[in-house]
Structure formats: C-alpha cells, structure tokens
Amino acid sequence: MFVDELTIKVIAGKGGDGCTSFRREKCEPMGGPNGGNGGKGASIIFQVDKGLKTLIDLRYMKIIKGKKGENGSGQNRNGASAEDIIIKVPEGTTVVDESTNLVIADLVGDITEVVVAEGGRGGRGNVAFKTQTDTAPKFSELGEPGEEKILKVELKMIADVGLIGFPSVGKSTILSKISAATPKIASYHFTTLSPNLGVVKLRDGRSFVMADLPGLIEGASNGVGLGHKFLRHAMRTKILAHVIDMGSEEGRNPIDDYAAIRKEIEEYNDKLAKKTEVILANKMDLPNALDNLKDFKTKYPDKDIIAISSVTNIGFDDLMYNLADKLDKISNDPLYDDTEMLSHVMYKFQNERPYTITKDGDVWILEGKELEKLFKMTRFNEPEAVLRFARKLKGMGVEEELERLGAKRGDEVQICDYIFEFKE
C-alpha cells in the first residue's frame, strides 16, 4: 500500500529526576551532598532509509513515545540516558509541526536525519546546587519534560521530471517507453493511484528520474479527486512535462485541457506554477492530431512542444535529450524558504516577557513555556525547592506584573493545573 501523508503524535522521554542525598559515613559527620543528576530522556529521531518508498511503516504508529531517563542516586551516581527512538522514513519526507505549520525538516540530499522531539534533560541532583553560601542544599530538580508535538508527515517523491495531465492521456505509457518502469496501464480513468518512478538513461551517459503522477481533474487544487496527491509530488520535480492528448481520443479539447491544468497548478502553489515546463503532444498517430497541434501552437506560440506517439514511437529521442539538456541548466533550489522552516530564528526584544498573565473569574492564570518548565521541574515537597521556585518567579518579574495588573495578596494564581495563593 502506498502511504504518502499521515499525522502522528510524538512524545519525547522525560529526563530522569535528580537526587537529594548526603554522605552519611560513620567518620564523615560533614560529608555534604552527593545526589547525582538524572539521565536525559529519549529523543524521537526521523532517519532516511533510501530503500523505503512509502510511509506505510508509520501508518500504525499513532503515538510514538520515548522512555524516561534514569533517576540520579546517592554517592554522586548519575542516571543513564534513555536510548533515542529512531524512525526510518523515505528520502523526500517533509515533517511539519501542526501547531505552528512550520517545517521541522525536509529530508533530502545531505539532510539524512532530524530530531523531531527532543528528550528532556535530567534534573540536577543536590550536589549541583552546592555553593559557598549553601554548602548543603536540601533540594534537587525533577527531570525536564520531553517535547510533545503533533506532526504532519508528508512524502514528496524525488523526481527530476513529473509527467502531469488528465487521466488516460498516456503518462504511464510514456514512462514505460523511455525507462525500465512497469506501471499498470489500462484505458480506464485513474489507473495510476500512486506515483511511479522510472530512471531514464541516455546514450551519452546522462540519466534522470521521471515520475508518472496521479491523474488530475478540475478542482484538484482544492483536494478534489487525487488532486493533492498529484500536486504534492509535483512540488519536488524540476520540470513539469504536460502530457496532452493531441488526438482528442476521448473527445477532449487539447487547448482546454492545458488551460485547466495550468489553472489548478497556479491556484495550488506559485512555486509550482513557475517551474520549467514542456508540452508533450501525445497520440500524434491519431487522425485529428496534426490539426489540433497546429491550433495549439497558434494559441501557445511560445511553449516548448514535443510531438510524440507511443504507438509509432516517434519523438522519444527528442523528448529525452530535450529534458536532459534542460535539467543540466536547472539548479537544485530548496523546496522551502527560510521563513517556512522551524529553524528560522526570530529575534525578539530582550525585555519581552517569557510568560503571559490573564484572569479567568477570580483566578490569575500564568502561562509560558519557560515558566511551566520551571514548575514541572520543581519538587514541591522540599521547602528549599519551593523557595527557589518563588525566587525564580520574582526574578522573572511575575510578582511585579501581578501587582501591576491588580492582583492582591490572597488571590488565587494558576500554573498548569495547579492553583496557589498569592503571598509575600
């Protein structure tokens, strides 16, 4: 089964908890702290396997969850890190964070793996908090939660040339004629339900990959029929080869067919619309083909048109060398701009607060990634840890901002699912 799009949830492993411990040997009355750090939680990694051609292995993995790092222990023993989870995916896989709609990675070329969810760091043991003024800290940290994301995973097949056109115009037959590919061929619509790839080899030693993409119907740019499947895979190609039934075998008008295809492409994506294109005037062995080709050239005089026939085998040498020559001149441009990538850094003002404060009824609600992480890593059953948490909040300006917004002592403040009383 060909699977080229799915949505999964990934939860990286939580870091191991730090340990609160002290040396208690008989002859060491001032032994001091010796609690070790927790181990790192398991990260979720997508790794390219060039032998894979589909995402079917991911289809039944609705949730991928990493293991927790081991807890630290006494005698300065640090916990072991959990083993990362490596998921094999085909080359050409794009990973998108559904919450931001930004691309985490486009796995092509030199990019062979990506961490899609980072495991949490281990909590520090109490020995890590030892200072000259606090030589015996009685607190440690809990492990950092691992990243949790919902990912949209798409496969965009890697091909140099994409054969596009309405169903039954002869795309699969063309691919079978000029490559070793053996696609299913029949006279009914939508014989091609998934992309077929073939390697085209020329006598001069050059070669390129051609894809027969699923047939297109009107409304494809809005997801009608197999539209998105066709258009998604076309995004990766360097050249769009429009296959037109110039013989009007099914009573279609070649000019109208080409206009309809261009309309769907332009509505789907500007980058796709600007790709190099070639018109393949197919079925030139049919009676009406020459007249239709003449009318087509009158309508589109500037288009690069190659007349071919799968029955008489005319035009295929011209086609292969024309495509190879064009590919020699086309650079390998990235599929996504920097602004579409999650790694694109947005610099913010230094005085921007890393949290937000809102009010729901009588409860003040604090939200923010760093604030929530600090909360989840605090041991609230250790008084010193609670004091440290309060100092951190004050240092972040939370207390001052609450007062500025009108909060009074005794008001309820919520962080995550927990409610506290606002005190001195």
Side-chain angles (χ1 to χ4, degrees), residues 357 362-364 366 390 393-394 397-414 419-424:
I357 300 177
D362 295 329
V363 180
W364 298 92
L366 273 60
L393 289 189
K394 189 170 184 178
V398 172
E399 184 177 325
E400 183 181 343
E401 182 65 10
L402 280 169
E403 290 177 341
R404 188 187 71 79
L405 292 172
K408 301 288 190 289
R409 304 298 171 176
D411 284 0
E412 292 182 332
V413 177
Q414 180 175 332
I419 296 178
F420 304 87
E421 188 175 321
F422 184 34
K423 294 182 177 180
E424 287 285 356

Side-chain angles (χ1 to χ4, degrees), residues 237-390:
T237 61
K238 296 178 183 177
I239 296 175
L240 297 180
H242 296 252
V243 183
I244 305 292
D245 177 4
M246 205 58 70
S248 300
E249 187 175 24
E250 297 188 3
R252 305 186 65 88
N253 184 300
I255 293 175
D256 292 343
D257 279 3
Y258 177 71
I261 291 172
R262 287 300 308 177
K263 178 175 179 290
E264 296 301 330
I265 288 173
E266 288 164 5
E267 288 181 356
Y268 180 73
N269 188 281
D270 287 339
K271 289 182 184 177
L272 189 60
K274 293 175 183 177
K275 287 184 181 290
T276 301
E277 69 174 0
V278 175
I279 310 296
L280 306 189
N282 195 23
K283 304 187 181 181
M284 290 303 299
D285 54 286
L286 296 179
N288 297 326
L290 286 174
D291 290 339
N292 287 338
L293 179 59
K294 183 179 178 181
D295 292 341
F296 193 93
K297 287 182 175 180
T298 301
K299 177 68 175 178
Y300 299 106
D302 299 327
K303 297 297 181 182
D304 189 355
I305 303 171
I306 303 172
I308 60 174
S309 169
S310 301
V311 173
T312 61
N313 290 327
I314 64 169
F316 284 106
D317 278 348
D318 289 343
L319 169 62
M320 290 189 290
Y321 282 95
N322 182 302
L323 293 174
D325 290 343
K326 282 182 167 59
L327 289 169
D328 287 341
K329 300 173 185 176
I330 299 174
S331 59
N332 290 312
D333 294 328
L335 187 59
Y336 298 98
D337 296 330
D338 285 345
T339 53
E340 298 175 274
M341 303 294 291
L342 192 65
S343 57
H344 179 70
V345 179
M346 291 177 58
Y347 292 99
K348 297 182 178 181
F349 294 108
Q350 289 184 351
N351 63 349
E352 188 173 340
R353 293 188 180 89
Y355 57 85
T356 59
I357 300 177
T358 56
K359 193 174 185 182
D360 184 6
D362 295 329
V363 180
W364 298 92
I365 299 173
L366 273 60
E367 295 176 304
K369 186 176 179 181
E370 289 302 313
L371 186 147
E372 290 171 11
K373 184 173 77 171
L374 174 65
F375 172 78
K376 290 176 181 178
M377 295 179 71
T378 299
R379 290 183 185 274
F380 286 96
N381 60 346
E382 296 178 339
E384 286 191 21
V386 176
L387 290 174
R388 176 176 178 268
F389 176 74

Side-chain angles (χ1 to χ4, degrees), residues 97-165:
D97 186 336
E98 206 166 70
S99 65
T100 61
N101 208 31
L102 291 174
V103 178
I104 295 175
D106 188 24
L107 294 169
V108 291
D110 296 333
I111 304 174
T112 58
E113 68 176 36
V114 61
V115 178
V116 296
E118 186 74 46
R121 72 168 175 85
R124 289 172 289 179
N126 64 333
V127 72
F129 295 100
K130 181 180 176 181
T131 64
Q132 289 183 338
T133 56
D134 186 3
T135 57
K138 299 180 181 62
F139 69 96
S140 58
E141 283 181 326
L142 298 175
E144 178 186 18
E147 287 188 315
E148 186 173 326
K149 297 176 183 176
I150 295 178
L151 304 177
K152 184 178 181 181
V153 186
E154 293 182 337
L155 174 60
K156 296 181 173 73
M157 299 292 283
I158 297 176
D160 300 303
V161 180
L163 292 170
I164 61 175

Side-chain angles (χ1 to χ4, degrees), residues 221-233:
S221 58
N222 296 317
V224 176
L226 296 176
H228 279 166
K229 187 180 288 288
F230 148 72
L231 293 164
R232 181 186 311 124
H233 295 295

